Amino acid sequence: MPVLDPNPQNGQKKLLLMFGTIIGIMVVIAVIASIASP
């Protein structure tokens, strides 16, 4: 599965989903860090 597809189908949707997942993980980590810190 090539990373850079010359003719991607649903490419933008996949990119948005990937960005959303990364942001979501970062938010979860931030929340856990803020709870863990006194």
Side-chain angles (χ1 to χ4, degrees):
M1 188 178 142
V3 179
L4 288 170
D5 212 319
N7 206 1
Q9 277 179 308
N10 251 354
Q12 206 163 12
K13 200 176 184 183
K14 195 186 268 185
L15 196 76
L16 266 165
L17 197 75
M18 206 168 70
F19 262 78
T21 308
I22 292 162
I23 291 163
I25 290 163
M26 280 169 73
V27 167
V28 168
I29 290 165
V31 169
I32 290 165
S34 65
I35 291 164
S37 66

